[in-house]
Amino acid sequence: MNGVDHADQLRSTYHTARKALKWWKYLFFFLFDVAIVNSYLLMRESPQHSQRTQMEFRMKLAHQMLGAFMSKRKRQSEVQIPAQPNHTHWPTVMKKKTCKHCATKKIRSEPGYGCEQCNVNLCVKCFKPYHVSKFPEMS
């Protein structure tokens, strides 16, 4: 019992478990924690490795597992379409998203309309001010 209690104590110190309704998620996190604790215990028993704490071991393990992976937020770039005589900006029904012009004034508005040429959601009252500010040559 001594070894099991010690392993449970080490596992509960820095656990990765999350509350989950699905049994297999809980089982996955439990086995993941057990694998990390077992590797930490093996590392501690090895004479070639310097003594380090479990936190240092977990941090080093996380850095090794991530490697060179860098998560980048993917944002949609606002494409500036130059206003040309043959391009017309007409309001159209679109999926509800935040109004671009209201967002600059920190007002929350989710219209179901927008400009089909610019591909941005705009309130009816913001349609003209948005285009005047983006395309001064149109006014």
Side-chain angles (χ1 to χ4, degrees):
M1 288 294 280
N2 189 18
V4 173
D5 291 339
H6 185 63
D8 281 342
Q9 182 182 12
L10 287 172
R11 187 177 57 82
S12 67
T13 307
Y14 304 107
H15 60 90
T16 58
R18 300 288 180 260
K19 191 174 185 179
L21 296 175
K22 306 284 185 191
W23 64 269
W24 56 269
K25 288 182 183 178
Y26 176 79
L27 182 64
F28 171 78
F29 285 119
F30 173 80
L31 292 174
F32 187 69
D33 283 336
V34 169
I36 291 173
V37 168
N38 286 343
S39 61
Y40 171 68
L41 292 173
L42 287 173
M43 185 273 312
R44 226 176 44 184
E45 294 294 321
S46 174
Q48 288 93 8
H49 292 90
S50 62
Q51 291 292 331
R52 61 173 85 142
T53 65
Q54 186 180 5
M55 175 60 105
E56 291 170 346
F57 175 77
R58 283 178 176 260
M59 293 298 286
K60 180 89 171 162
L61 178 66
H63 288 293
Q64 288 175 345
M65 288 177 76
L66 288 174
F69 176 76
M70 295 293 277
S71 175
K72 293 184 180 180
R73 292 181 67 186
K74 294 181 181 177
R75 289 191 171 190
Q76 293 178 348
S77 61
E78 284 191 36
V79 179
Q80 295 294 331
I81 301 170
Q84 297 174 358
N86 60 351
H87 288 120
T88 54
H89 295 263
W90 291 99
T92 186
V93 177
M94 300 178 86
K95 184 178 174 184
K96 282 190 173 187
K97 289 185 183 175
T98 306
C99 173
K100 292 291 181 188
H101 193 66
C102 288
T104 59
K105 295 184 260 179
K106 299 198 187 314
I107 299 172
R108 184 181 167 112
S109 169
E110 293 186 354
Y113 299 96
C115 178
E116 66 182 349
Q117 185 68 34
C118 300
N119 197 24
V120 295
N121 282 52
L122 296 166
C123 300
V124 174
K125 66 182 187 313
C126 295
F127 196 85
K128 185 174 180 180
Y130 174 81
H131 285 90
V132 168
S133 67
K134 291 290 183 186
F135 310 107
E137 64 275 2
M138 286 180 68
S139 57

